[in-house]
């Protein structure tokens, strides 16, 4: 099983220590939410786990192999990343953009355009998962911001990675499509992939995550199951706010910030 483990990662950016000797273990088949205040190190950790940044020290293992020792193509096949500032910069239709997620599966000397049946099936499945089928033949740049966000998630899913890493994937979505995205990502994990999400919405994190990591000033403050980690004490320490924790009529958690912590 290709779990991800990381040990004593440290990273300095622009003279600031953004990760300070952080360690953890992420399981496939689970949804992990990374939470923390602005500047806590969430996105920096995610970019290291995706192989986009090389930490100053420490190790990242994908299964029993160091992540740094794997080729770019192997890493791209196994890890799909949706960054926070994902943008579309050129005129391309939606289906073609989503199909770019299949590039890591192309052979070294294969010519793009000769898509296999597996490629086409993966693209259509990703379009359906993200509710993008109805505008699959439109130009991506002419879609709304929320629609573009769904298309970019579809591109990641089309690659059928073993790991989906996403930085604020719900940020630009309306409530209905937030619910759709949550359901989609939970299904991805239920089918055996690992899902790691940077989130700000505490209620959404409590509802989607099997495992929660709270970061605070470049360190991991707490890590574990939602009920163990998403407590009033831990959230006050991480965010500087008092919260009210309740549940709706179906028993799903609701976490509401009510005031600045004393």
């Amino acid at each position: 099983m290709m779990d991800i483990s990381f040990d004593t990662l440290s990273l300095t950016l622009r003279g600031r220590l953004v990760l300070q000797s952080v360690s953890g273990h992420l399981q496939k088949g689970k949804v992990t939410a990374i939470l923390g205040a602005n500047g806590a190190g969430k996105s920096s950790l995610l970019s290291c786990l995706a192989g986009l940044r090389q930490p100053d020290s420490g190790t990242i293992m994908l299964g029993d192999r160091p992540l740094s020792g794997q080729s770019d193509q192997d890493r791209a096949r196994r890890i799909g990343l949706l960054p926070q500032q994902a943008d579309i910069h050129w005129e391309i239709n939606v289906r073609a953009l989503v199909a770019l997620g299949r590039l890591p599966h192309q052979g070294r000397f294969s010519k793009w355009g000769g898509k296999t049946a597996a490629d086409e099936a993966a693209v259509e499945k990703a379009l359906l998962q993200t509710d993008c089928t109805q505008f699959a033949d439109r130009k991506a740049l002419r879609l709304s911001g929320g629609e573009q966000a769904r298309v970019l998630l579809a591109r990641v899913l089309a690659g059928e990675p073993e790991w989906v890493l996403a930085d604020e994937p719900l940020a630009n979505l309306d409530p209905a499509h937030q619910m759709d995205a949550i359901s989609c990502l939970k299904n991805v994990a239920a089918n055996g992939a690992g899902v790691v999400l940077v989130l700000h919405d505490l209620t959404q994190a409590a509802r989607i995550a099997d495992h929660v990591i709270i970061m605070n000033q470049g360190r991991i403050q707490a890590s574990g199951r939602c009920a163990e980690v998403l407590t009033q004490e831990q959230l006050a320490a991480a965010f500087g706010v008092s919260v009210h924790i309740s549940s709706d009529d179906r028993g799903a958690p609701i976490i509401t910030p009510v005031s600045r912590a004393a």
Side-chain angles (χ1 to χ4, degrees):
M1 182 176 288
M2 290 283 186
D3 287 358
I4 293 177
S5 58
F6 52 99
D7 184 54
T8 58
L9 299 186
S10 293
L11 176 68
T12 301
L13 294 177
R14 296 179 291 278
R16 176 172 169 258
L17 190 60
V18 295
L19 294 178
Q20 303 186 50
S21 193
V22 298
S23 301
H25 181 87
L26 308 174
Q27 287 183 278
K28 282 188 70 178
K30 304 290 186 182
V31 178
T32 296
I34 303 177
L35 309 178
N38 293 339
K42 306 180 298 296
S43 297
S44 297
L45 176 58
L46 200 72
S47 65
C48 287
L49 298 178
L52 290 187
R53 291 190 186 277
Q54 182 66 32
D56 302 329
S57 60
T59 58
I60 302 170
M61 302 292 290
L62 181 57
D64 58 359
R65 296 176 56 198
L67 185 65
S68 59
Q70 301 191 30
S71 70
D72 290 344
Q73 186 171 20
D74 282 347
R75 191 166 59 238
R77 274 198 296 263
R78 292 186 169 93
I79 300 175
L81 174 68
L82 182 63
Q84 186 177 15
Q85 301 298 330
D87 291 309
I88 300 168
H89 296 288
W90 71 100
E91 284 284 354
I92 184 173
N93 74 30
V94 167
R95 182 175 278 104
L97 178 57
V98 174
L100 293 177
R102 299 298 300 172
L103 284 176
H105 296 273
Q106 302 299 303
R108 183 177 178 184
F109 299 106
S110 56
K111 181 179 179 181
W112 179 247
K115 297 185 287 294
T116 67
D119 292 329
E120 293 178 353
V123 169
E124 295 306 316
K125 179 181 178 181
L127 289 167
L128 184 62
Q129 286 177 302
T130 54
D131 194 28
C132 294
T133 304
Q134 70 270 27
F135 47 71
D137 297 315
R138 291 174 56 189
K139 296 296 185 182
L141 279 176
R142 301 179 189 180
L143 302 178
S144 70
E147 289 168 338
Q148 289 185 17
R150 285 151 51 198
V151 170
L152 292 168
L153 176 59
R155 182 177 65 180
V156 172
L157 297 179
E160 299 178 312
E162 297 174 18
W163 284 89
V164 174
L165 277 54
D167 198 344
E168 288 294 332
L170 308 179
N172 293 316
L173 303 182
D174 59 52
H177 284 104
Q178 283 189 5
M179 295 175 66
D180 290 344
I182 287 172
S183 177
C184 171
L185 291 165
K186 291 186 75 167
N187 285 337
V188 168
N191 288 325
V195 177
V196 184
L197 310 173
V198 170
L199 297 173
H200 276 296
D201 189 310
L202 301 177
T203 294
Q204 298 286 33
R207 294 186 178 198
I208 191 175
D210 303 296
H211 176 236
V212 174
I213 295 172
I214 296 182
M215 299 198 67
N216 192 343
Q217 297 183 350
R219 301 180 185 274
I220 292 181
Q221 173 185 301
S223 177
R225 297 174 59 188
C226 288
E228 299 167 350
V229 173
L230 296 179
T231 65
Q232 292 176 322
E233 295 77 16
Q234 293 285 5
L235 296 174
F239 294 97
V241 295
S242 298
V243 301
H244 176 68
I245 301 176
S246 59
S247 58
D248 64 19
D249 54 8
R250 294 177 298 174
I254 302 171
I255 302 177
T256 308
V258 292
S259 66
R260 285 277 191 174

